[in-house]
Amino acid sequence: MAGAFFAGASPYNGLNLTAGVRFPFYALENRGIRKAPVTVTTAAGAQLEVYWEDGPQLTGWGEPVARYPDGTPAVVQGRFGDGWVVLTGVHPEAPESWRRGMAFTTPASASRAYAAMLIDAALNRKPLPHD
């Protein structure tokens, strides 16, 4: 699992695992919001509120695994060479301390369990449900 800006075709030392695709910020950034709880919906239909901070939306590369409220991809998966990559524009791994001052309806433990599932999928090349 990797941060999508770093994994994408970023001019700032990006890894370009995305065949030249550059990701724009998620729409909250355009409204001046820098961090917030965001509900993502998985391809299986489950909703989970996760920590978002200055992250991208992931249109243009991979298979969408989860989407932001506006329908743009928040988590994607796909191949890079012989490997399997899971990219995320949110921080499901965020500890409780990152959530200070924000109202979340999903506990940090549920978000971290989602992060563990994404990491397991990436490490073991297990495709997740996608649309």
Side-chain angles (χ1 to χ4, degrees), residues 40-48 65-67 114 117 129 131:
V40 297
T41 304
T42 69
Q47 291 191 329
L48 178 69
V65 171
R67 293 185 179 272
Y114 185 64
M117 182 187 70
D131 56 47

Side-chain angles (χ1 to χ4, degrees), residues 37-65:
V38 174
T39 300
V40 297
T41 304
T42 69
Q47 291 191 329
L48 178 69
E49 196 173 45
V50 295
Y51 179 83
W52 171 86
E53 184 172 352
D54 294 326
Q57 58 93 352
L58 308 174
T59 299
W61 185 85
E63 302 164 333
V65 171

